[in-house]
């Protein structure tokens, strides 16, 4: 057992479920800090004071003021709101930047907020300040944990404007979003001209929040081991693969893939209040009532013998939503029903609406964000579609596995690390839990769904597949332990190698 004190973690993030969530980052920012606190860490989550959070925590107490944040930043304050022992929220309040209706990144019409560089520049600056020797708080972290580009500029402030009091970690949840702004923003962001350099915040002549973090933090992590390898290659590196290879090769622990978990208090079919009937691996019959409820809720024909395929997704090219669109008529022709929930790209949304209109009671599409329906789809569908072109981790396939709804995925990133393709061998071994394919093409997806439907018709084999997925522990425990280990070693010099006398050889 380690004799070191438990870590004191400042976790900086732009989303936190259930209050502000556009995707998996919101889920992770709620569940990982809680799992760390359960493991004994002292965790504070720094998040912008959006309206939903201000309304949820009316009793929050001011604990610091940032009167002169520098650059074009307006003064801000920080208010604390305890969540549970070892865990509290720190709301970064700057009403002009955060107290507005719409999403965290976009307005209601889907346009990026024009002042996002300042909104997330201030989040990064505040995180850096709390992790510096000039912190206005009476609490100092032993590690600063930044997440995605929105807080990744913090290490730049610790390099150019402040003195760090602890090491920093940057976690990549999605390398495709980098927070790149014109070089003329440098002054407004309170960064000196020398920061616009190849070993600083510069990326092709612009300011990149994520590049800055990846360059200047002590340790980089991402959310699955396979994605950690993929982003070191040009195909998935989004222009940053060279830097990531450099970090990977520089030393042990500088680029790690730590697989996300799921919040098993929220995503558990035995206790889920959003589904029609509880069930577990021992009594899978309960899924039938959820299938009927899903059919009623979405207006699907629930004839026996029709497999229900679910999908919950941001509607973007990343998720392979277009591949599903392409094969949807063929799936309907094979008797399947589709239950689709998502929002995003307007063209993809429109294409789904059209398809649903052309196949009433066979294809049901709900455009929007609906947490309760997401739970019901996981519980009521027979199988789950997630043919992502890339997937840093992916949470929905793990929710599906926990709900006995075998996922059909493309073998990439975290999908490759969690889904074991069903073959006669893996089924016999007891490892099969879903279906996967490699080529990002509609034909490969269709062939894989056909394979899945053949197994679905074999009731015993399907039960086995469902139980294999449900048997594994998908909770955050393992990841929390890995992060705790990383927090302890990150930024510390490796222990000196003490020359030792040759050990006696064992017989
Ligand atoms: P990503 O973060 O790339 O969108 P993840 O699979 O990691 O993908 O996480 C997505 C999260 O967002 C899951 O919790 C999923 O259920 C949820 N989600 C995505 N779209 C919707 C939607 N339209 N309605 C409800 N929940 C959604
Ligand atoms: C990102 C990724 C997703 C991951 C999530 C949480 O949104 O796209 O794969 O699960 O972050 O880490």
């Amino acid at each position: 057992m380690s004799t070191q004190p438990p870590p004191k973690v400042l976790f900086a993030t732009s989303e936190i479920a259930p209050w502000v969530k556009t995707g998996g980052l919101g889920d992770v920012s709620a569940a990982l800090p809680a799992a760390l606190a359960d493991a004994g860490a002292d965790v504070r989550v720094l998040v912008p004071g959006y309206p939903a959070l201000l309304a949820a925590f009316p009793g929050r107490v001011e604990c610091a003021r940032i009167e002169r944040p520098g650059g074009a930043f307006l003064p801000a304050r920080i208010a604390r709101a305890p969540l549970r022992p070892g865990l509290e929220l720190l709301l970064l309040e700057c009403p002009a930047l955060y107290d507005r209706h719409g999403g965290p990144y976009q307005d209601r019409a889907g346009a990026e907020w024009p002042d996002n560089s300042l909104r997330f520049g201030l989040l990064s600056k505040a995180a850096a300040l709390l992790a510096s020797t000039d912190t206005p708080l009476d609490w100092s972290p032993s590690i600063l944990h930044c997440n995605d580009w929105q807080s990744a500029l913090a290490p730049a402030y610790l390099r150019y404007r402040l003195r760090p009091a602890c090491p920093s970690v940057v976690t990549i949840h999605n390398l495709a979003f980098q927070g790149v702004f014109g070089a003329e923003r440098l002054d407004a962001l309170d960064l000196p001209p020398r920061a616009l350099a190849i070993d600083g915040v510069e990326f092709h002549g612009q300011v990149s929040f994520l590049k800055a973090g990846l360059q200047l933090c002590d340790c980089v992590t991402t959310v699955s081991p396979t994605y950690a390898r993929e982003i070191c290659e040009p195909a998935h590196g989004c222009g940053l693969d060279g830097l990531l290879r450099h970090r990977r090769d520089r030393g042990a622990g500088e680029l790690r893939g730590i697989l996300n978990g799921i919040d098993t208090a929220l995503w558990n079919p035995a206790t889920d209040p959003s589904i029609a009937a509880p069930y577990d691996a021992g009594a899978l019959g309960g899924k039938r009532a959820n299938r009927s409820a899903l059919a009623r809720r979405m207006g699907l024909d629930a004839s026996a013998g029709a497999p229900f395929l679910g999908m919950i997704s941001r509607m973007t090219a990343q998720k392979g939503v277009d591949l599903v669109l392409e094969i949807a008529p063929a799936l309907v022709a094979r008797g399947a029903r589709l239950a689709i929930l998502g929002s995003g790209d307007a063209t993809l949304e429109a294409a789904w609406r059209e398809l649903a209109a052309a196949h009433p009671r066979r294809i049901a599409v709900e455009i929007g964000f609906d947490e309760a329906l997401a739970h019901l789809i996981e519980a009521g569908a027979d199988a789950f579609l997630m043919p992502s072109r890339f997937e840093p981790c992916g949470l929905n396939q793990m929710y599906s596995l926990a709900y006995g709804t075998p996922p059909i995925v493309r073998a990439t990133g975290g999908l490759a690390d969690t889904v074991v393709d069903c073959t006669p061998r893996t089924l016999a071994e007891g490892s099969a839990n879903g279906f996967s394919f490699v080529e990002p093409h509609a034909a490969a997806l269709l062939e894989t769904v056909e394979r899945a439907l053949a197994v679905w018709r074999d009731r015993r084999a399907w039960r086995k597949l469902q139980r294999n997925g449900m048997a594994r522990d998908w909770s955050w425990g393992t990841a929390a332990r890995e992060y705790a280990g990383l927090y302890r070693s990150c930024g510390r010099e490796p222990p000196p190698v003490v020359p030792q006398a040759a050990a006696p050889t064992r017989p």
Side-chain angles (χ1 to χ4, degrees):
M1 248 188 57
S2 165
T3 51
Q4 285 177 311
K8 296 200 293 179
V9 187
L10 179 61
F11 191 94
T13 181
S14 55
E15 299 185 21
I16 183 163
W19 304 285
V20 187
K21 163 174 162 180
T22 68
L25 176 61
D27 290 338
V28 172
S29 301
L32 172 58
L36 288 164
D38 285 347
D42 179 7
V43 191
R44 318 263 159 126
V45 180
L46 179 71
V47 59
Y50 306 113
L53 285 165
L54 301 182
F57 297 98
R60 64 193 183 278
V61 175
E62 178 178 305
C63 56
R65 278 179 175 272
I66 307 176
E67 301 285 3
R68 281 187 296 277
F73 296 126
L74 295 170
R77 68 169 209 158
I78 295 173
R80 45 190 294 216
L83 289 180
R84 55 203 267 185
L87 179 61
E88 64 181 47
L89 285 185
L90 296 176
L91 298 186
L92 176 61
E93 294 184 36
C94 181
L97 289 184
Y98 307 126
D99 192 3
R100 55 176 81 156
H101 293 287
Y105 317 121
Q106 300 174 337
D107 65 18
R108 282 176 166 158
E112 299 289 306
W113 293 115
D115 53 356
N116 272 346
S117 66
L118 285 181
R119 287 156 56 79
F120 300 109
L122 184 64
L123 175 64
S124 299
K125 182 90 196 264
L129 187 63
L130 301 191
S132 78
T133 53
D134 286 334
T135 178
L137 289 188
D138 57 1
W139 176 90
S140 281
S142 63
I143 189 88
L144 167 61
H145 189 162
C146 305
N147 293 277
D148 271 351
W149 72 266
Q150 293 88 348
S151 50
L153 202 55
Y157 292 113
L158 289 168
R159 169 66 58 94
Y160 300 111
R161 288 293 187 223
L162 296 155
R163 263 168 312 174
C166 66
S168 55
V169 177
V170 170
T171 293
I172 302 166
H173 296 265
N174 195 333
L175 194 61
F177 301 104
Q178 301 185 351
V180 177
F181 302 94
E184 76 286 350
R185 301 302 296 153
L186 209 60
D187 234 18
L189 289 168
D190 190 33
L191 286 167
R194 70 190 164 95
L196 197 71
I198 189 153
D199 60 354
V201 308
E202 188 268 349
F203 185 61
H204 296 292
Q206 296 186 288
V207 175
S208 166
F209 278 43
L210 187 61
K211 144 81 198 291
L214 300 182
Q215 177 78 42
L216 299 168
C217 71
D218 294 280
C219 294
V220 178
T221 75
T222 186
V223 288
S224 71
T226 295
Y227 194 59
R229 286 191 296 277
E230 288 173 342
I231 55 178
C232 289
E233 301 300 327
H236 285 110
C238 302
L240 288 168
D241 46 295
L243 168 56
L244 289 163
R245 279 196 299 279
H246 174 69
R247 298 240 38 173
R248 176 195 67 191
D249 297 340
R250 214 161 64 173
E254 283 211 14
L255 169 61
R256 278 201 214 177
I258 302 179
L259 189 71
N260 284 337
I262 65 171
D263 187 334
T264 45
L266 291 176
W267 291 94
N268 177 355
T271 55
D272 189 336
S274 304
I275 68 176
Y279 62 94
D280 58 29
L284 276 162
K287 256 181 104 60
R288 260 199 309 275
N290 288 298
R291 184 179 190 274
S292 308
L294 177 61
R296 274 196 306 279
R297 166 70 178 76
M298 295 193 80
L300 282 169
D301 165 63
S303 315
F308 271 39
L309 305 176
M311 183 168 193
I312 304 156
S313 183
R314 286 186 290 116
M315 295 225 173
T316 65
Q318 174 193 340
K319 302 288 179 181
V321 181
D322 52 315
L323 302 182
V324 182
L325 268 170
E326 212 176 316
I327 67 162
L331 296 177
V332 171
R334 285 158 182 75
R337 308 284 179 265
L338 296 187
I340 311 286
L341 167 63
S343 63
D345 184 293
T347 321
L348 291 171
E349 288 182 359
W352 272 115
R353 279 201 186 94
E354 246 175 67
L355 209 57
H359 300 274
R361 300 186 58 75
R362 301 288 187 274
I363 298 181
V365 175
E366 182 122 342
I367 302 295
F369 203 93
D370 187 332
E371 195 77 35
L373 181 57
H375 285 246
L376 187 59
I377 291 177
E378 291 290 6
D382 293 301
F384 191 84
L385 299 173
M386 202 160 167
S388 305
R389 289 199 165 75
F390 70 93
E391 196 60 77
C393 178
L395 298 174
N396 270 309
Q397 85 280 13
M398 289 192 270
Y399 299 150
S400 306
L401 289 161
Y403 277 62
T405 308
I408 299 170
V409 307
R410 190 167 160 259
T412 181
L415 298 173
D417 292 334
T418 49
V419 177
V420 180
D421 187 41
C422 178
T423 63
R425 186 177 62 79
T426 55
L427 196 62
E429 280 172 6
S431 58
N433 61 14
F435 299 85
S436 65
F437 62 100
V438 175
E439 293 301 322
H441 302 136
L445 171 60
L446 181 58
E447 186 261 328
T448 311
V449 178
E450 282 171 340
R451 262 195 310 124
L453 297 187
V455 180
W456 179 73
R457 291 191 188 95
D458 175 348
R459 215 178 129 83
R460 281 191 53 201
W462 194 257
R463 281 275 185 267
K464 212 167 161 195
L465 204 60
Q466 290 178 294
R467 293 206 170 100
N468 289 345
M470 296 175 95
R472 184 164 149 190
D473 176 11
W474 299 105
S475 70
W476 272 98
T478 310
R481 278 191 294 279
E482 280 189 59
Y483 278 108
L486 172 75
Y487 296 156
R488 289 197 182 95
S489 62
C490 178
R492 318 264 184 290
E493 291 295 318
V497 181
V498 182
Q500 289 186 347
T505 42
R506 283 171 192 274

